[in-house]
Amino acid sequence: MPTLERTEALSTLKGVPLFAGLTPQQLRRVAEVGRLKLFRAGAAIVRLGEPGDTFYVILDGHALVVREAGRPLKLHPGDFFGELALIENAPRSADVIATDDVTALTVGHTAFRKLLRSEAAFTHAILKTVVGRMRNDQRAPRWELDNLMR
Ligand code: CMP
């Protein structure tokens, strides 16, 4: 797995909303610990129920989060996944499938936990997205209920 080349890394990572609040020094740390990985269209990047030791940020391509219940969710460049298993120390909560060729920045669990502990802006960005996803999940059934009541 190639390490991110420094110059390429910094310009790519600067454009990722998750990293928007990081200082140049913090960004350099992410680039140092991150690895680029390519997944072919159709590949299962993570599988429901399996142990997880990697966090992913999509740099190019798209993926689907396929859960046991609920609609599949589409992930776009700049979106991340795989944080839940690392935060909870639990099996993967969903399948994540590449719908076209995906280039992802991957961060191992030790480096991910270090980032969470040491970079407040990173932790806040993760939290904000996870909470937003939770709100979104809760919104869906209510939206359906409102439609049925009409
Ligand atoms: P993890 O459980 O490690 O692996 C599957 C990933 O799918 C999970 O982390 C999240 O990144 C993502 N995921 C699971 N459930 C949802 C959801 N409800 N909304 C958005 N993403 C999700």
Side-chain angles (χ1 to χ4, degrees):
M1 265 192 291
T3 309
L4 281 174
E5 291 295 331
R6 259 179 178 254
T7 42
E8 179 203 349
L10 291 178
S11 58
T12 307
L13 298 187
K14 259 185 213 155
V16 175
L18 173 63
F19 303 129
L22 300 190
T23 63
Q25 194 193 349
Q26 290 169 327
L27 260 187
R28 270 198 299 278
R29 277 204 55 201
V30 174
E32 276 162 20
V33 298
R35 299 281 180 275
L36 279 184
K37 215 169 164 191
L38 177 71
F39 298 92
R40 293 292 174 203
I45 307 175
V46 311
R47 282 187 188 280
L48 173 76
E50 288 192 351
D53 64 357
T54 307
F55 169 74
Y56 303 83
V57 182
I58 298 179
L59 299 180
D60 192 34
H62 299 83
L64 275 186
V65 176
V66 184
R67 301 169 292 165
E68 272 181 313
R71 297 189 190 98
L73 305 160
K74 190 153 195 185
L75 299 178
H76 302 266
D79 289 340
F80 66 78
F81 61 92
E83 76 292 351
L84 294 182
L86 303 192
I87 292 170
E88 295 181 296
N89 207 8
R92 296 295 190 189
S93 61
D95 289 331
V96 181
I97 312 289
T99 54
D100 43 23
D101 288 352
V102 166
T103 305
L105 172 80
T106 65
V107 177
H109 66 112
T110 308
F112 177 75
R113 290 202 183 104
K114 258 190 207 157
L115 283 172
L116 279 185
R117 274 201 303 271
S118 61
E119 317 298 352
F122 177 79
T123 311
H124 183 253
I126 295 273
L127 200 52
K128 209 171 152 189
T129 300
V130 170
V131 170
R133 288 174 177 174
M134 204 178 85
R135 272 185 196 274
N136 223 24
D137 288 347
Q138 286 167 351
R139 194 171 299 139
R142 169 131 214 124
W143 181 85
E144 277 158 14
L145 180 68
D146 289 346
N147 262 356
L148 288 172
M149 299 287 278
R150 264 183 216 144

